[in-house]
Amino acid sequence: NFFMKLPNFLIAGVSASGTSFLAESIRQHPDIYLPFPMEPECHFFFKSWEYKKGLKYYSKKWFKNSNNEYAIGERSSSYLFGGNKTAKKIFSNFPNIKLIFCIRNPIERAWANYRFTVLQGYENLPFIEALKKEKARIDSLKGKWKEIQHLNYTGRGMYYNQLNAYFKNFPKKNILIIKSEFMKEKKEIVFEKVFKFLKVESSFAPKKAPDFVSFSVKDREKQCFLRKKLKGKMTIIIENLRKKLSLNDFTKNSEDKKYIKDLERNLETKKIKLDDECRFFLRNIFKKETLKISKIVDFSIKDWQ
Protein backbone atom coordinates (compact mmCIF):
# COMPACT_ATOMS: atom_id res chain seq x y z
CA ASN A 1 0.00 0.00 0.00
CA PHE A 2 1.52 3.32 -1.10
CA PHE A 3 1.46 6.10 1.48
CA MET A 4 1.43 9.49 -0.24
CA LYS A 5 3.91 12.05 1.07
CA LEU A 6 2.94 15.54 -0.06
CA PRO A 7 4.26 19.09 0.42
CA ASN A 8 3.21 21.62 3.04
CA PHE A 9 5.19 24.45 1.40
CA LEU A 10 6.28 25.56 -2.07
CA ILE A 11 9.03 27.85 -3.29
CA ALA A 12 6.67 29.07 -5.98
CA GLY A 13 8.55 31.63 -8.05
CA VAL A 14 9.82 33.51 -9.79
CA SER A 15 12.38 32.24 -12.34
CA ALA A 16 15.86 33.85 -12.45
CA SER A 17 15.31 35.33 -8.97
CA GLY A 18 17.44 33.23 -6.64
CA THR A 19 15.01 30.38 -5.94
CA SER A 20 17.73 27.76 -6.49
CA PHE A 21 20.08 29.57 -4.07
CA LEU A 22 17.29 29.71 -1.47
CA ALA A 23 16.38 26.04 -1.99
CA GLU A 24 20.03 24.88 -1.81
CA SER A 25 20.49 26.84 1.43
CA ILE A 26 17.35 25.90 3.35
CA ARG A 27 17.39 22.22 2.34
CA GLN A 28 20.40 21.86 4.68
CA HIS A 29 18.02 22.32 7.63
CA PRO A 30 17.35 18.94 9.33
CA ASP A 31 13.59 19.66 9.56
CA ILE A 32 13.18 20.66 5.90
CA TYR A 33 12.85 18.34 2.91
CA LEU A 34 13.35 19.52 -0.66
CA PRO A 35 13.89 16.97 -3.43
CA PHE A 36 17.37 16.69 -4.88
CA PRO A 37 18.35 17.09 -7.64
CA MET A 38 15.74 19.55 -8.92
CA GLU A 39 16.83 19.92 -12.52
CA PRO A 40 14.53 20.27 -14.33
CA GLU A 41 12.06 21.60 -11.77
CA CYS A 42 8.80 19.69 -11.42
CA HIS A 43 6.29 22.44 -12.50
CA PHE A 44 3.48 20.03 -11.51
CA PHE A 45 0.77 22.67 -11.07
CA PHE A 46 1.96 24.74 -14.04
CA LYS A 47 2.30 22.13 -16.81
CA SER A 48 -1.14 20.68 -17.62
CA TRP A 49 0.37 17.39 -18.87
CA GLU A 50 2.17 16.91 -15.54
CA TYR A 51 -0.90 17.82 -13.47
CA LYS A 52 -2.99 15.25 -15.37
CA LYS A 53 -0.73 12.50 -13.99
CA GLY A 54 -2.24 13.09 -10.53
CA LEU A 55 -1.09 13.43 -6.92
CA LYS A 56 0.11 9.83 -6.58
CA TYR A 57 2.60 10.42 -9.42
CA TYR A 58 3.59 13.82 -7.89
CA SER A 59 4.20 12.18 -4.51
CA LYS A 60 6.22 9.25 -5.88
CA LYS A 61 8.36 11.36 -8.20
CA TRP A 62 9.26 14.19 -5.81
CA PHE A 63 8.67 13.22 -2.17
CA LYS A 64 9.35 9.48 -1.81
CA ASN A 65 12.73 10.15 -0.13
CA SER A 66 11.39 12.44 2.56
CA ASN A 67 11.74 11.18 6.13
CA ASN A 68 8.66 12.89 7.54
CA GLU A 69 10.48 16.19 8.03
CA TYR A 70 8.34 18.93 9.56
CA ALA A 71 8.49 21.09 6.40
CA ILE A 72 8.23 19.23 3.07
CA GLY A 73 8.36 21.28 -0.10
CA GLU A 74 9.43 21.68 -3.68
CA ARG A 75 10.66 24.52 -5.88
CA SER A 76 8.94 25.40 -9.15
CA SER A 77 9.75 28.90 -10.33
CA SER A 78 6.82 28.86 -12.79
CA TYR A 79 4.00 28.91 -10.24
CA LEU A 80 3.83 32.68 -9.78
CA PHE A 81 3.80 33.24 -13.55
CA GLY A 82 0.94 30.71 -13.73
CA GLY A 83 -1.25 33.26 -11.92
CA ASN A 84 -4.87 32.43 -11.11
CA LYS A 85 -4.96 29.15 -13.06
CA THR A 86 -2.02 27.71 -11.13
CA ALA A 87 -3.06 29.26 -7.80
CA LYS A 88 -6.51 27.59 -8.08
CA LYS A 89 -4.96 24.18 -8.82
CA ILE A 90 -2.66 24.46 -5.79
CA PHE A 91 -5.52 25.69 -3.55
CA SER A 92 -7.90 22.91 -4.61
CA ASN A 93 -5.31 20.32 -3.47
CA PHE A 94 -3.59 22.14 -0.61
CA PRO A 95 -5.68 25.03 0.80
CA ASN A 96 -3.34 25.41 3.80
CA ILE A 97 -0.01 25.20 1.98
CA LYS A 98 2.65 27.86 2.62
CA LEU A 99 4.00 29.75 -0.38
CA ILE A 100 7.36 31.47 -0.74
CA PHE A 101 7.93 33.90 -3.62
CA CYS A 102 11.29 35.50 -4.49
CA ILE A 103 10.83 38.59 -6.62
CA ARG A 104 13.67 40.48 -8.26
CA ASN A 105 14.09 43.76 -10.14
CA PRO A 106 12.06 42.82 -13.26
CA ILE A 107 14.57 44.53 -15.58
CA GLU A 108 17.49 42.41 -14.31
CA ARG A 109 15.23 39.36 -14.08
CA ALA A 110 14.19 39.64 -17.75
CA TRP A 111 17.85 39.89 -18.81
CA ALA A 112 18.83 36.85 -16.69
CA ASN A 113 15.87 34.94 -18.10
CA TYR A 114 16.93 35.77 -21.68
CA ARG A 115 20.51 34.66 -20.98
CA PHE A 116 19.23 31.36 -19.58
CA THR A 117 16.99 30.79 -22.65
CA VAL A 118 19.98 31.46 -24.94
CA LEU A 119 22.08 29.04 -22.88
CA GLN A 120 19.44 26.33 -23.27
CA GLY A 121 19.54 26.78 -27.05
CA TYR A 122 16.01 28.15 -27.45
CA GLU A 123 16.82 31.74 -28.46
CA ASN A 124 18.70 33.03 -31.51
CA LEU A 125 17.67 36.72 -31.51
CA PRO A 126 19.56 39.60 -29.86
CA PHE A 127 17.78 40.71 -26.66
CA ILE A 128 16.41 44.02 -28.01
CA GLU A 129 14.92 42.23 -31.02
CA ALA A 130 13.45 39.50 -28.81
CA LEU A 131 11.80 42.21 -26.68
CA LYS A 132 10.37 44.09 -29.65
CA LYS A 133 8.99 40.89 -31.19
CA GLU A 134 7.93 39.36 -27.89
CA LYS A 135 4.15 39.60 -28.30
CA ALA A 136 4.12 38.33 -31.90
CA ARG A 137 6.39 35.44 -30.99
CA ILE A 138 4.26 34.44 -27.98
CA ASP A 139 1.12 34.57 -30.11
CA SER A 140 2.70 32.22 -32.65
CA LEU A 141 3.68 29.56 -30.08
CA LYS A 142 1.91 26.21 -30.35
CA GLY A 143 1.30 23.14 -28.20
CA LYS A 144 3.23 22.88 -24.94
CA TRP A 145 5.28 25.98 -25.81
CA LYS A 146 2.10 28.07 -25.82
CA GLU A 147 1.64 27.01 -22.20
CA ILE A 148 5.27 27.35 -21.10
CA GLN A 149 5.83 30.67 -22.97
CA HIS A 150 9.61 30.32 -22.78
CA LEU A 151 10.07 33.49 -24.90
CA ASN A 152 7.98 35.65 -22.57
CA TYR A 153 10.67 37.67 -20.81
CA THR A 154 8.61 40.64 -19.61
CA GLY A 155 5.46 38.72 -18.60
CA ARG A 156 7.31 36.89 -15.85
CA GLY A 157 8.11 40.25 -14.24
CA MET A 158 4.48 41.42 -14.03
CA TYR A 159 4.23 40.42 -10.38
CA TYR A 160 1.27 42.58 -9.34
CA ASN A 161 -1.59 40.54 -10.88
CA GLN A 162 0.26 37.29 -10.32
CA LEU A 163 0.67 37.93 -6.57
CA ASN A 164 -2.92 39.16 -6.30
CA ALA A 165 -4.10 35.84 -7.77
CA TYR A 166 -2.47 34.12 -4.78
CA PHE A 167 -3.78 36.70 -2.28
CA LYS A 168 -7.25 35.99 -3.67
CA ASN A 169 -6.94 32.24 -3.14
CA PHE A 170 -4.83 31.92 0.02
CA PRO A 171 -4.74 33.63 3.42
CA LYS A 172 -2.00 36.29 3.52
CA LYS A 173 -0.38 34.62 6.54
CA ASN A 174 0.45 31.66 4.25
CA ILE A 175 2.40 33.82 1.80
CA LEU A 176 5.99 35.03 2.23
CA ILE A 177 7.43 37.41 -0.37
CA ILE A 178 11.20 37.85 -0.40
CA LYS A 179 13.08 40.59 -2.22
CA SER A 180 15.72 38.61 -4.12
CA GLU A 181 18.34 41.31 -3.74
CA PHE A 182 18.20 40.75 0.06
CA MET A 183 19.58 37.25 -0.44
CA LYS A 184 22.90 38.77 -1.39
CA GLU A 185 22.94 41.57 1.16
CA LYS A 186 21.07 40.10 4.15
CA LYS A 187 20.90 36.34 3.64
CA GLU A 188 21.02 35.48 7.38
CA ILE A 189 17.91 37.64 7.95
CA VAL A 190 16.18 36.03 4.95
CA PHE A 191 16.94 32.48 6.19
CA GLU A 192 15.68 33.30 9.68
CA LYS A 193 12.47 34.73 8.20
CA VAL A 194 11.93 31.63 6.05
CA PHE A 195 12.60 29.25 8.97
CA LYS A 196 10.15 31.14 11.21
CA PHE A 197 7.57 31.11 8.41
CA LEU A 198 7.98 27.32 8.07
CA LYS A 199 7.96 26.94 11.88
CA VAL A 200 11.32 25.18 12.10
CA GLU A 201 14.31 26.06 14.31
CA SER A 202 15.14 29.59 13.15
CA SER A 203 18.67 29.86 14.54
CA PHE A 204 19.98 27.20 12.11
CA ALA A 205 22.78 28.63 9.93
CA PRO A 206 23.12 27.00 6.49
CA LYS A 207 26.62 26.58 5.06
CA LYS A 208 27.29 28.69 2.00
CA ALA A 209 25.30 27.27 -0.91
CA PRO A 210 27.42 26.37 -3.94
CA ASP A 211 27.87 29.41 -6.15
CA PHE A 212 27.92 27.69 -9.53
CA VAL A 213 29.25 29.47 -12.58
CA SER A 214 26.74 31.11 -14.90
CA PHE A 215 27.70 30.66 -18.54
CA SER A 216 27.41 33.13 -21.40
CA VAL A 217 26.99 31.91 -24.98
CA LYS A 218 29.38 33.04 -27.73
CA ASP A 219 27.20 32.07 -30.71
CA ARG A 220 23.41 31.84 -30.29
CA GLU A 221 22.80 30.07 -33.63
CA LYS A 222 25.35 27.40 -32.76
CA GLN A 223 23.71 26.88 -29.36
CA CYS A 224 20.33 26.28 -31.05
CA PHE A 225 21.98 23.81 -33.44
CA LEU A 226 23.63 21.94 -30.53
CA ARG A 227 20.28 21.75 -28.69
CA LYS A 228 18.87 19.78 -31.65
CA LYS A 229 21.92 17.53 -31.88
CA LEU A 230 22.10 16.75 -28.15
CA LYS A 231 18.32 16.32 -28.00
CA GLY A 232 16.99 15.89 -24.43
CA LYS A 233 20.46 15.82 -22.85
CA MET A 234 21.45 19.49 -23.27
CA THR A 235 20.07 20.77 -19.94
CA ILE A 236 21.71 18.07 -17.82
CA ILE A 237 25.03 18.41 -19.70
CA ILE A 238 25.08 22.18 -19.04
CA GLU A 239 24.24 21.51 -15.36
CA ASN A 240 27.15 19.06 -15.09
CA LEU A 241 29.50 21.55 -16.77
CA ARG A 242 28.31 24.25 -14.36
CA LYS A 243 28.88 22.01 -11.34
CA LYS A 244 32.13 20.61 -12.78
CA LEU A 245 30.70 17.07 -12.66
CA SER A 246 31.65 14.13 -14.87
CA LEU A 247 30.33 13.98 -18.44
CA ASN A 248 31.19 10.28 -18.91
CA ASP A 249 27.52 9.26 -19.11
CA PHE A 250 27.03 11.49 -22.15
CA THR A 251 30.20 10.77 -24.12
CA LYS A 252 29.62 7.12 -24.96
CA ASN A 253 29.49 7.71 -28.70
CA SER A 254 31.88 9.78 -30.81
CA GLU A 255 29.13 12.03 -32.20
CA ASP A 256 27.97 13.11 -28.72
CA LYS A 257 31.61 13.60 -27.72
CA LYS A 258 32.12 15.98 -30.64
CA TYR A 259 28.95 18.01 -29.93
CA ILE A 260 29.79 18.29 -26.21
CA LYS A 261 33.26 19.60 -27.12
CA ASP A 262 31.57 22.14 -29.44
CA LEU A 263 29.23 23.08 -26.60
CA GLU A 264 32.13 23.65 -24.19
CA ARG A 265 33.86 25.86 -26.78
CA ASN A 266 30.66 27.88 -27.23
CA LEU A 267 30.44 28.79 -23.53
CA GLU A 268 32.36 31.35 -21.52
CA THR A 269 32.21 32.44 -17.88
CA LYS A 270 32.39 36.16 -18.64
CA LYS A 271 29.18 37.77 -17.41
CA ILE A 272 27.67 40.12 -19.99
CA LYS A 273 25.91 43.20 -18.64
CA LEU A 274 22.60 44.55 -19.89
CA ASP A 275 23.15 47.37 -22.39
CA ASP A 276 21.58 50.84 -22.06
CA GLU A 277 19.17 50.49 -25.00
CA CYS A 278 17.56 47.36 -23.51
CA ARG A 279 17.53 48.85 -20.00
CA PHE A 280 15.70 51.95 -21.25
CA PHE A 281 13.23 49.80 -23.21
CA LEU A 282 12.49 47.64 -20.15
CA ARG A 283 12.31 50.61 -17.79
CA ASN A 284 9.38 51.96 -19.81
CA ILE A 285 7.64 48.58 -19.77
CA PHE A 286 7.94 48.11 -16.01
CA LYS A 287 7.50 51.70 -14.77
CA LYS A 288 3.79 51.48 -13.89
CA GLU A 289 4.08 47.86 -12.80
CA THR A 290 6.79 48.63 -10.24
CA LEU A 291 4.64 51.38 -8.75
CA LYS A 292 1.74 48.93 -8.30
CA ILE A 293 4.00 46.24 -6.81
CA SER A 294 5.40 48.73 -4.26
CA LYS A 295 1.89 49.00 -2.77
CA ILE A 296 1.53 45.28 -1.98
CA VAL A 297 4.99 44.33 -0.66
CA ASP A 298 6.43 45.17 2.75
CA PHE A 299 9.86 46.29 1.48
CA SER A 300 11.15 49.16 -0.63
CA ILE A 301 11.69 48.58 -4.35
CA LYS A 302 12.80 52.12 -5.23
CA ASP A 303 16.08 50.66 -6.54
CA TRP A 304 14.17 48.70 -9.21
CA GLN A 305 14.06 51.63 -11.64
Side-chain angles (χ1 to χ4, degrees), residues 97-114:
I97 204 159
K98 293 189 171 185
L99 299 152
I100 300 168
F101 299 107
C102 304
I103 62 171
R104 176 185 182 184
N105 180 336
I107 295 170
E108 296 298 338
R109 197 221 66 80
W111 172 232
N113 195 161
Y114 166 79

Side-chain angles (χ1 to χ4, degrees), residues 55-198:
L55 282 184
K56 198 171 180 179
Y57 156 82
Y58 180 53
S59 173
K60 266 187 174 166
K61 186 165 167 69
W62 298 103
F63 307 107
K64 67 173 188 283
N65 295 324
S66 78
N67 290 315
N68 301 317
E69 288 85 353
Y70 186 77
I72 295 173
E74 56 107 334
R75 167 181 66 97
S76 290
S77 54
S78 56
Y79 292 161
L80 184 61
F81 178 56
N84 203 41
K85 202 173 161 188
T86 304
K88 279 186 161 161
K89 279 183 196 168
I90 297 170
F91 183 78
S92 69
N93 289 282
F94 307 118
N96 299 311
I97 204 159
K98 293 189 171 185
L99 299 152
I100 300 168
F101 299 107
C102 304
I103 62 171
R104 176 185 182 184
N105 180 336
I107 295 170
E108 296 298 338
R109 197 221 66 80
W111 172 232
N113 195 161
Y114 166 79
R115 288 180 70 240
F116 177 77
T117 309
V118 169
L119 179 62
Q120 293 300 318
Y122 289 126
E123 176 63 270
N124 61 0
L125 294 184
F127 192 31
I128 193 68
E129 219 178 302
L131 290 172
K132 286 175 179 172
K133 292 181 177 174
E134 188 176 69
K135 192 186 179 307
R137 291 172 97 198
I138 293 163
D139 290 345
S140 71
L141 292 170
K142 287 178 175 63
K144 69 169 188 174
W145 294 113
K146 196 162 193 68
E147 200 169 300
I148 293 170
Q149 291 194 33
H150 62 309
L151 302 174
N152 191 344
Y153 304 121
T154 60
R156 282 176 165 77
M158 299 295 180
Y159 312 134
Y160 180 76
N161 286 338
Q162 294 164 13
L163 286 168
N164 274 329
Y166 281 88
F167 289 147
K168 208 165 68 184
N169 285 282
F170 294 89
K172 276 196 176 176
K173 67 178 174 60
N174 282 26
I175 296 171
L176 176 65
I177 304 168
I178 294 164
K179 184 181 180 183
S180 295
E181 289 82 358
F182 283 168
M183 282 196 278
K184 273 188 178 175
E185 305 152 18
K186 308 171 180 179
K187 58 180 182 292
E188 290 79 12
I189 295 167
V190 169
F191 296 150
E192 189 183 357
K193 208 171 184 177
V194 170
F195 294 149
K196 279 181 176 166
F197 178 67
L198 297 177

Side-chain angles (χ1 to χ4, degrees), residues 30 42 106 122 137 172 186 188 205 224 239-240 243 247 256:
C42 72
Y122 289 126
R137 291 172 97 198
K172 276 196 176 176
K186 308 171 180 179
E188 290 79 12
C224 292
E239 269 308 291
N240 282 24
K243 294 175 180 177
L247 296 175
D256 276 358

Side-chain angles (χ1 to χ4, degrees), residues 237-269:
I237 290 166
I238 290 169
E239 269 308 291
N240 282 24
L241 284 170
R242 240 164 48 88
K243 294 175 180 177
K244 297 181 169 64
L245 298 174
S246 165
L247 296 175
N248 290 346
D249 288 351
F250 313 106
T251 53
K252 291 193 172 128
N253 67 57
S254 57
E255 206 182 356
D256 276 358
K257 219 173 199 165
K258 177 198 175 304
Y259 291 133
I260 288 168
K261 267 277 164 262
D262 288 349
L263 177 66
E264 287 185 79
R265 286 191 203 103
N266 201 35
L267 302 176
E268 57 184 349
T269 54

Side-chain angles (χ1 to χ4, degrees), residues 6-71:
L6 291 163
N8 50 31
F9 83 93
L10 299 170
I11 298 176
V14 62
S15 60
S17 293
T19 59
S20 56
F21 172 78
L22 180 66
E24 285 301 307
S25 300
I26 70 167
R27 70 187 297 278
Q28 298 172 35
H29 196 295
D31 296 325
I32 292 176
Y33 175 81
L34 280 161
F36 183 81
M38 282 211 68
E39 288 294 338
E41 297 169 22
C42 72
H43 304 297
F44 178 75
F45 296 100
F46 181 69
K47 293 177 175 176
S48 60
W49 60 92
E50 282 290 298
Y51 188 65
K52 276 178 191 157
K53 294 174 186 174
L55 282 184
K56 198 171 180 179
Y57 156 82
Y58 180 53
S59 173
K60 266 187 174 166
K61 186 165 167 69
W62 298 103
F63 307 107
K64 67 173 188 283
N65 295 324
S66 78
N67 290 315
N68 301 317
E69 288 85 353
Y70 186 77

